[in-house]
Amino acid sequence: MPIKVNNELKEFHLFNENVSYIFRVLEKSHQLEHIYFGNRVKHRESFHHLIEREVRPSSNLFEGDHTSSLEHIKQEYPSYGTTDFRYPAHSITDQENAHITDFQYESFQVIKGKPALEGLPATYVEDHHEAETLEITLYDAVLKTKLILSYTIYADRNVVTRNAKFLNEGDAPIFLDQAMSASVDFPDDEFEMIHLYGAWARETHMETRKLAKGIQSISSARGASSHVHNPFLALKRFDTTEHSGEAFGFSLVYSGNFLGQVEVDSYNVTRVLMGINPFQFKWKLSPNESFQTPECVMVYSNNGLNEMSQTFHHLYRSRLARGYWRDRTRPILINNWEATYFDFNEDKILSIVESSKELGIELFVLDDGWFGKRDDDSSSLGDWFEYEEKLPNGINGLSQKVEELGMKFGLWFEPEMVSKGTKLFEEHPDWILATPNRRASHGRNQFVLDFSRKEVVDHIFSLMDNIISKSKISYIKWDMNRYITEAYSHVLEKDQQGEVFHRYILGVYDLYDRLINKYPHILFESCAGGGARFDPGMLFYAPQTWTSDDTDAVERLKIQYGTSMVYPLSSIGSHVSAVPNHQVGRMTPIDTRANVAYFGTFGYELDVTKLTEDEKEKVKEQVSFFKEYRDMIHNGTFYRISNPFTSNETTWMVVSQDQKEAIVGYYKVLAKPNDSYSRIKIKGLDPDKLYTINNSTTTHYGDELMNIGIILAENYTDRASEYWSREHPHDYYSKLFVIKEFTGQ
């Protein structure tokens, strides 16, 4: 898995068995030229023959040299204003209010393994043989500033990661106006762009569109990665499907404002930029200070979108998520939110716990409403002490009783927010983000604390620590129910207000780190009004995320399908909730609700004390089923087979790593009369193994199931009367197919 360097020609080739990334130093300008990113090519001493230079009408860097225009050179980390008119990867304002930069190559070093990023989440290695990192140092002599571009290639993954670091070695401050994590110039525009868009309760919907000349982008300026766009985009070739063809995935390990941008120029060159959103961003970099960009993870696949997703899944599950819960079996939980909302007391909670324990559920989570005087969403955030009228024995007493009943206890927090009328707000009104002499907007009757300030994070940590330290808490749901408005900090200097959004997210990361370090055995689940902060940055701290506040099984088909483009099943929070569904009012069978929720972390969000005896028996069966297969579901290989965005039917499946087991989920939204025959072509099995389906006596070789498929129709030869008397198909139908290797027993 070498990084090869031709030091004489200053060419760099990062490659493993499946992917190559090649760039070089330009002879005259000493800037970096991008050569190639894609399927592995054989290494050779020089790739100089791949350079493209023709004389074109344009501005040029050097007099007499008519092929030195950066507009027509593919670059690694471009700037604007010196012959390249496309959007840049970086932009700096100096003391003269000038914006020109000239970062020239100075040196390189190859590092075994992968260095961590200070204060930021990032993928990692557990052994230095897993990856190599190339650091390129460039220097701008006028700005007296270093730029270090970092590239990591994994040995056995189709992954290259990138980040950038600026160091001001001058005597005066400079201002970073733009500092992207990665920039890649592709030589053509024969791509479709895939991204995930949405809104509250309908996150991560897939959209695919052909690239057009000019700019197409996704972004957030909301203070979080947002419901609207996920910090991910992919470029795929026109003939690429789920299982064949080229795809390039770009995912930003960051939880704040981001930009993912694709620019196609008039010569069909495609530039992909990804990093912190430059809108409302300006970072004052004082002498001897540095600025580190987040990490961009770039994945290459020549076997379709599924392979791209599987690469992300395996990387994020095992080398982004970390800590005690990374590889451990996650508990089946029940959350009281949709069961009680704010209307509960200790007796009601304990009755839910007792019933849940009888059903085999392992963890109870107390949601919003346990603190201050909170009976609705208009008060008490920031008053992180128990509401004694509801909980006379406090969280400590309740958690003790839950454990005595044989279940673990979890608790909801929304630590980044504050309500008016609270002790915190009255004592520290300047701790909210608010612009002087302007109205402070509210959302869900709450305001955003200024997490860019260390004293604010310190205080919130102490309040949370006081509750956690004296109670038996095994799980924390960390919510964030509104975006940031009036992003102004009362302690930052006027010329530093462009730093607020980024400093805020660094404060969130800092609080997570402190809590994780003190309480390493607590399972954290991140949440932001559902999926408004479902991003790789959060997975570094919380190995699972509440995917959406929409728990309807039919809507979750699209939400979870889209989420699976990037994120592993072990991170996808998914619950069985009550019907009529609280978000859309739909009535779906309890079997279908479970069959969707299995492909995630799995849990319940309903009042189990109100279930019928028949429903309770079904819940027991569901819990038993998931306990048997959850480790395989979370650690197996996931395949998308049919698409809910283009079909009435959805099919997906997961296969164990040893290919001995698989579970296929099949979902049909609306019933059809006199429907056509259909089959499900399975993926990922061993073609030579013999398998059974749902314990049937009939066996099937893996190649049969993958090439012919599971036949959904039945053979009613000489059984016509049975056909007419069978149970009729219904809307929201689903079925699981459990496939196991046949051992002859």
Side-chain angles (χ1 to χ4, degrees), residues 131-133 142 473 559 575 620:
E132 281 186 355
T133 298
V142 174
I473 295 175
I559 292 168
H575 293 174
K620 287 181 182 178

Side-chain angles (χ1 to χ4, degrees), residues 186 188-195 206-212 216 232-241 246-250 262 264 270 272 305 308 565:
F186 290 94
D188 66 272
D189 65 348
E190 297 297 305
F191 292 107
E192 291 177 319
M193 173 179 163
I194 296 175
H195 64 94
M206 285 178 57
E207 180 161 296
T208 303
R209 54 179 166 172
K210 184 181 184 299
L211 293 186
Q216 40 256 285
F232 157 82
L233 65 85
L235 298 183
K236 76 175 188 70
R237 297 299 182 181
F238 298 148
D239 61 351
T240 295
T241 67
E246 272 198 324
F248 298 83
F250 298 84
V262 181
V264 179
T270 297
V272 178
L305 295 171
M308 177 199 73
M565 291 297 293

Side-chain angles (χ1 to χ4, degrees), residues 574-594:
S574 53
H575 293 174
V576 177
S577 63
V579 292
N581 178 262
H582 291 196
Q583 290 76 47
V584 300
R586 194 174 352 248
M587 298 286 292
T588 54
I590 193 169
D591 291 340
T592 292
R593 284 174 268 157

